[in-house]
Amino acid sequence: MPKPVPVPDELSKPFWDAVNEQRLVVQHCAACDRRQYPPERVCTECRSGDRLEWIPTSGRARIIGYTVMHDSRVRLLQADQPFNIAVVALEEDPAIRFFSHLPGTPADEVPVGATVEAIFPELSPTQRIHEWQVVR
Amino acid sequence: MATPTPVAPASVYREEVGLGIWEHRGKVAVAGMGHSPTNRRWDGKPETSMGAYAILAIRNAMEDAGVSPDQVDGLIVVRAGTTGDAWAPRPIPEDFAQTYAHTDNIEDGLTTLSVEWLLQNMPELTNVSCVMHTRSDCMSNAVVLTAQIVGDGLAKCCLVVKGWANPEGRYGHGGANALAVAPGASQWTMPFGMVSGIPGTAFGFEQYCRRYNTSHDRVAPFVVNQRRNGLLFPEGFYAQHEPYQLTVDDYLQTRWISKPMSLHDCDRPIQTAGAYLFTTAERARDMKQRPVYILGHSSQRWTNRSSIQTLDEIEASTDLMARKTYEASGLTAKDIDVFNPYDGYALFTQYYLEAFQWHGVRRGEAHDFYGDDIRVEGPHPFSSSGGNNGNGRTRFWMHTDCIQQLRGQAGARQIRLKAETAISGGPTPGGADWTVWSSSPD
């Protein structure tokens, strides 16, 4: 499914570099032992800016809900309507949530509660993206 | 170079829990309100532009209050006038350019408003000394700001205005959303289609339906009743232009936008403007209309823990809204006669109803309540304005209805129960401003 290609910036480059290596990482605040995603310049809890580090994730998550998009504003996605937009919560820290089209899962057949694992399809010759697939 | 109009400082908004009763409780009143006509789209004529409608709404508010322009000393303006695209790069229509004085911002009067544009085009406002732009783009934000400004003594007779522009075109389908790349904040959302408030709202509602064993079709009685109330609201879009009743079948058969959100869950963009005139309680008593007093206000800004606001967060955030609003006014749920929460996505409204526990509705009970008698004639006259869903997108019908109900001027919409206190506010479960109104200052 074609998608707009993320444009890494100074803050997000480590994340997207890891995705290109087929690894999923998130920020972690060493000061308050808390993960955060999407990345921020400071910890949104303790506001510390110099204790943020990138840590690996398990790459496993659980589907906590979804919607089925029928009329997207995003031009590149319109050809594939309707499509799933699922929200998945990271297995080791359910407060961390990602979006997914759930490739391989038909629209509106989303198994809420199911375990998913990260995959990294290629979006462009230079950029992969983090997606999630139901573990069968 | 003239000093730019200040944006309201964060300190005027009552965002913290535990602030207690509002320090100006009962000392500020709304004395006037005014509306322009509504249109589905701008037809390009100067007299139907958003700027023209804002001027008209302001003049109507002054007339309603019986206040002359030279008595006005404050002007609060919501800058954004559209949730859609800017007018540019279209050329400014020649008639419009010749009719109005302009600011440095070519959008002013077309899709934005500013204090500067209004003062240039309303020379009769000769004594305005307190001016401010709101921090966010809704009338709910402007109303609480204006109440605080008057309470703090920065203005004694203060206008507040919000306009809406709806030029031709399907907004949100061009610009960044038409690109093949996702820069900035959109890198986390746009590749997945999580753009605009729609999919996120649908996600929250899907969680709600599973948690409380309910379904989208059970929202139908609420949306149908919103249109019914809207048809009883002469200032609204449907009463003026499409005076027919939406049916349950219409609601159930319309197309999905982002399932479980359908077309009729979304309010319809229109071209219009509305204004209110706030003053001190003391001055309001000598004005033309029966004063409607402000007993308190509150604001809420929620920071999501991660990519999206979940139902747990929605409920926590809206619980805080209710707590702060009741705390500011010194009232409780059982004291509130009129309740007009935001409905611009109809799928938001159950969160507010349950958080504020109006008529005893608790978490998970809103859809049962919708199936009860919620007509204005009935025992539970919920959202008597008809809201944005029933009148077109303005985010101010809720406030207008509260004022009209408490004045006894709501016409066919006048609730049959007593109408002495009211709450209105919105817009989103993550960020909203609420006002408590009363026919008595006590």
Side-chain angles (χ1 to χ4, degrees):
Chain A
M1 180 171 174
K3 306 181 191 355
V5 179
V7 180
D9 50 36
E10 185 188 347
L11 176 65
S12 66
K13 189 170 183 305
F15 177 87
W16 293 113
D17 285 348
V19 165
N20 280 342
E21 295 166 6
Q22 305 196 51
R23 295 183 296 114
L24 184 67
V25 299
V26 294
Q27 274 183 326
H28 175 257
C29 175
C32 62
D33 188 21
R34 185 174 181 270
R35 295 176 183 84
Q36 68 182 18
Y37 171 88
E40 300 279 352
R41 299 212 172 273
V42 298
C43 170
T44 55
E45 179 71 15
C46 73
R47 313 307 298 174
S48 158
D50 56 357
R51 304 291 303 278
L52 289 172
E53 58 193 1
W54 293 96
I55 62 168
T57 70
S58 65
R60 289 173 67 87
R62 195 173 66 84
I63 300 171
I64 62 167
Y66 71 102
T67 178
V68 183
M69 177 55 71
H70 288 248
D71 189 0
S72 178
R73 294 183 186 181
V74 181
R75 187 171 293 173
L76 261 185
L77 301 177
Q78 290 166 356
D80 289 297
Q81 291 172 168
F83 57 83
N84 298 319
I85 309 177
V87 180
V88 307
L90 195 60
E91 193 170 71
E92 62 269 35
D93 187 348
I96 302 301
R97 301 159 201 130
F98 301 90
F99 302 132
S100 174
H101 290 139
L102 291 182
T105 299
D108 213 5
E109 294 181 22
V110 176
V112 175
T115 299
V116 290
E117 60 186 8
I119 58 172
F120 302 91
E122 200 173 78
L123 273 190
S124 76
T126 57
Q127 187 60 62
R128 292 178 181 271
I129 194 163
H130 52 308
E131 264 290 7
W132 299 83
Q133 205 160 42
V134 175
V135 175
R136 305 286 176 188
Chain B
M1 197 169 116
T3 308
T5 298
V7 173
S11 58
V12 302
Y13 297 97
R14 293 170 55 88
E15 296 183 8
E16 303 300 318
V17 172
L19 293 178
I21 287 179
W22 186 39
E23 66 271 25
H24 306 305
R25 184 184 194 272
K27 295 174 186 166
V28 176
V30 64
M33 60 184 167
H35 298 83
S36 75
T38 64
N39 293 109
R40 172 73 174 118
R41 300 279 188 182
W42 187 36
D43 58 10
K45 295 176 182 169
E47 64 269 25
T48 55
S49 65
M50 187 181 73
Y53 276 180
I55 291 170
L56 182 59
I58 286 173
R59 288 178 177 154
N60 287 342
M62 290 189 289
E63 185 181 340
D64 183 56
V67 164
S68 60
D70 62 305
Q71 291 177 280
V72 172
D73 64 352
L75 179 60
I76 308 295
V77 176
V78 183
R79 295 221 61 195
T82 174
T83 49
D85 297 333
W87 181 259
R90 291 169 274 205
I92 299 178
E94 198 172 317
D95 281 0
F96 180 84
Q98 289 174 356
T99 305
Y100 295 106
H102 301 287
T103 67
D104 293 341
N105 177 9
I106 64 157
E107 296 289 332
D108 267 354
L110 293 171
T111 66
T112 64
L113 287 175
S114 68
V115 164
E116 291 80 2
W117 191 91
L118 285 165
L119 290 181
Q120 283 187 56
N121 288 290
M122 296 190 74
E124 69 266 40
L125 294 175
T126 52
N127 289 317
V128 172
S129 56
C130 175
V131 294
M132 216 169 273
H133 290 144
T134 54
R135 283 185 84 78
S136 72
D137 298 337
C138 283
M139 187 59 118
S140 296
N141 190 263
V143 164
V144 303
L145 169 63
T146 310
Q148 191 67 39
I149 291 292
V150 172
D152 288 346
L154 299 175
K156 291 184 170 56
C157 190
C158 191
L159 287 161
V160 53
V161 64
K162 163 77 180 169
W164 286 88
N166 191 30
E168 286 296 334
R170 194 162 187 217
Y171 67 78
H173 282 246
N177 290 336
L179 301 178
V181 293
S186 78
Q187 67 190 290
W188 311 109
T189 56
M190 204 165 95
F192 305 97
M194 194 55 88
V195 167
S196 86
I198 288 174
T201 302
F203 158 74
F205 184 76
E206 190 273 336
Q207 286 199 312
Y208 177 90
C209 288
R210 276 188 292 109
R211 176 171 295 177
Y212 297 114
N213 192 29
T214 185
S215 55
H216 177 261
D217 58 325
R218 299 189 69 219
V219 181
F222 168 59
V223 172
V224 167
N225 196 61
Q226 288 292 82
R227 182 68 63 86
R228 183 176 188 271
N229 289 345
L231 293 176
L232 303 175
F233 206 146
E235 293 88 342
F237 173 81
Y238 291 102
Q240 291 177 7
H241 299 284
E242 296 181 8
Y244 54 85
Q245 178 62 52
L246 186 82
T247 68
V248 169
D249 278 350
D250 291 335
Y251 182 79
L252 298 180
Q253 289 171 19
T254 195
R255 66 187 176 91
W256 296 115
I257 302 296
S258 189
K259 190 181 176 184
M261 178 188 283
S262 70
L263 185 68
H264 288 311
D265 294 318
C266 306
D267 56 355
R268 205 160 164 204
I270 59 173
Q271 177 100 4
T272 192
Y276 305 117
L277 190 143
F278 281 67
T279 187
T280 61
E282 195 179 320
R283 285 190 176 206
R285 287 182 197 112
D286 297 326
M287 290 185 182
K288 196 163 134 189
Q289 303 288 347
R290 178 182 175 186
V292 174
Y293 301 92
I294 313 299
L295 295 189
H297 66 84
S298 76
S299 296
Q300 170 80 356
R301 311 282 172 254
W302 179 271
T303 302
N304 294 343
R305 174 67 180 87
S306 186
S307 317
I308 192 168
Q309 192 174 38
T310 62
L311 180 59
D312 285 341
E313 292 179 301
I314 288 169
E315 293 190 340
S317 180
T318 52
D319 279 347
L320 280 173
M321 291 177 189
R323 183 175 162 190
K324 290 186 283 190
T325 305
Y326 287 134
E327 182 181 281
S329 65
L331 301 184
T332 63
K334 65 178 169 41
D335 300 318
I336 305 303
D337 301 327
V338 175
F339 187 40
N340 275 306
Y342 183 70
D343 70 326
Y345 294 134
L347 306 186
F348 280 155
T349 312
Q350 71 273 333
Y351 306 134
Y352 305 128
L353 174 59
E354 294 169 0
F356 283 80
Q357 297 187 12
W358 191 73
H359 282 217
V361 179
R362 294 179 179 274
R363 289 291 179 205
E365 296 177 353
H367 293 179
D368 290 339
F369 178 82
Y370 291 168
D372 205 333
D373 186 354
I374 58 173
R375 298 172 307 135
V376 290
E377 302 91 333
H380 308 294
F382 178 56
S383 188
S384 43
S385 65
N388 304 278
N389 203 289
N391 292 285
R393 179 186 302 162
T394 66
R395 302 177 182 168
F396 55 60
W397 305 120
M398 313 93 77
H399 309 302
T400 297
D401 182 67
C402 288
I403 298 163
Q404 290 181 342
Q405 294 285 351
L406 270 53
R407 283 181 177 178
Q409 294 177 347
R413 269 182 7 271
Q414 188 69 44
I415 66 169
R416 307 310 191 254
L417 306 179
K418 77 177 170 68
E420 295 173 358
T421 58
I423 290 179
S424 55
T428 73
D433 304 274
W434 297 86
T435 300
V436 184
W437 315 81
S438 174
S439 57
S440 160
D442 305 319

